[in-house]
Amino acid sequence: MKVIQFLIGFALLALASSLASATDPGHLQDVCVAINDPKDGVFVNGKFCKDPKLARAKYFFFSGLGKPGNTANRLGVNETDANVEQIPGLNTLGISPFRIDYAPYGQRPPHIHPRASEIFLVLEGTLYVGFVTSDQLNNTLIAKVLNKGYVFVFPQGLIHFQFNIGKTNAAAYSALNIQFPGEFTPANTVFGTHPSINPDFLGKAFLLDPKIVKDLQNKFINGN
Ligand SMILES: *[C@@H]1O[C@H](CO)[C@@H](O)[C@H](O)[C@H]1NC(C)=O
Ligand SMILES: *[C@@H]1O[C@H](CO)[C@@H](O)[C@H](O)[C@H]1NC(C)=O
């Protein structure tokens, strides 16, 4: 009886610890180059793996982070992704980088990576960056001005931002502890939904006149 209880307890513990693991699972082979075609593939919690004997340098390589992205847009920002879609060799490894470029006074608006923490390195310029804790810690703003070479960390799932406060371009490099971090920007996901959320409800939630909500919905959906 005791043994059975122990075994059940142990199984529950193992289950709990596997549920608590929120990044890519530990990899079971040297390499698992992602392929989109399941034919000849092995299924893992990510993408299918190419036959490991066919691993080549090109699957672990990306040249796109060396040059700035075009920042001529409303927010004056450009993010160049280098996740498992661009580097299939990242599959199952629990890591991925990206590059962000900012025009003078450009910004990455408040946004969230639901599945990863981010470590952020300034390549050039001066950025005001920060994140906000959840209501567990009273929505506290944790923010700082960063110069070239400085590093900042954005914890998983918390809303964070970067504003270029300089008159010059800025650029940064980020690494996230997952192969595909995901991203959502609340301004877009609230006001730019398809179809629109009832403006009366959003007005109440955001302390806004429903007419202003309608105007915001119009701008976020039709791009303004
Ligand atoms: C980001 O830069 C790339 C390369 O210059 C460009 O193709 C892309 O359209 C830009 N994205 C945005 C949102 O401006
Ligand atoms: C949160 O911070 C505000 C402003 O400092 C304070 O008035 C309030 O009591 C705090 N609430 C909690 C739950 O700590």
Side-chain angles (χ1 to χ4, degrees):
M1 197 60 197
K2 277 247 163 72
V3 173
I4 288 174
Q5 276 173 351
F6 173 79
L7 285 177
I8 291 173
F10 187 77
L12 285 175
L13 227 123
L15 182 68
S17 69
S18 73
L19 288 175
S21 153
T23 58
D24 299 344
H27 49 290
L28 302 173
Q29 56 259 329
D30 283 356
V31 297
C32 176
V33 176
I35 51 172
N36 290 319
D37 185 355
K39 198 163 63 67
D40 310 324
V42 179
F43 184 75
V44 293
N45 180 21
K47 296 212 179 222
F48 301 101
C49 310
K50 194 180 243 332
D51 179 346
K53 288 195 283 299
L54 302 177
R56 298 290 179 269
K58 65 178 176 179
Y59 302 127
F60 301 86
F61 169 82
F62 182 61
S63 62
L65 294 188
K67 53 182 188 307
N70 181 356
T71 57
N73 51 52
R74 179 177 77 85
L75 293 169
V77 76
N78 194 307
E79 177 182 320
T80 310
D81 287 334
N83 57 50
V84 70
E85 298 295 339
Q86 290 79 29
I87 310 178
L90 285 178
N91 197 32
T92 74
L93 298 186
I95 192 168
S96 64
F98 54 70
R99 173 190 174 119
I100 316 110
D101 291 282
Y102 312 80
Y105 306 109
Q107 64 162 269
R108 219 147 155 257
H111 65 281
I112 293 165
H113 304 293
R115 296 186 292 278
S117 296
E118 172 174 357
I119 187 158
F120 177 90
L121 165 71
V122 180
L123 301 175
E124 62 166 326
T126 305
L127 295 160
Y128 175 68
V129 312
F131 65 87
V132 183
T133 65
S134 70
D135 36 11
Q136 182 192 18
L137 291 175
N138 205 10
N139 300 330
T140 304
L141 172 65
I142 312 261
K144 188 162 173 56
V145 172
L146 303 183
N147 294 317
K148 179 177 176 172
Y150 290 13
V151 158
F152 203 79
V153 174
F154 304 111
Q156 177 172 355
L158 298 186
I159 198 159
H160 59 284
F161 58 81
Q162 298 113 29
F163 302 144
N164 183 0
I165 56 173
K167 293 193 184 88
T168 58
N169 290 334
Y173 176 85
S174 271
L176 292 97
N177 61 332
I178 200 160
Q179 67 181 27
F180 193 77
E183 179 169 319
F184 71 91
T185 303
N188 305 341
T189 46
V190 170
F191 296 111
T193 58
H194 308 279
S196 294
I197 300 173
N198 184 323
D200 293 330
F201 294 149
L202 287 185
K204 190 166 179 175
F206 285 82
L207 301 172
L208 289 173
D209 186 315
K211 283 199 215 73
I212 295 177
V213 173
K214 271 194 178 153
D215 184 48
L216 287 172
Q217 287 175 322
N218 197 24
K219 285 175 173 156
F220 276 98
I221 290 165
N222 300 320
N224 232 319

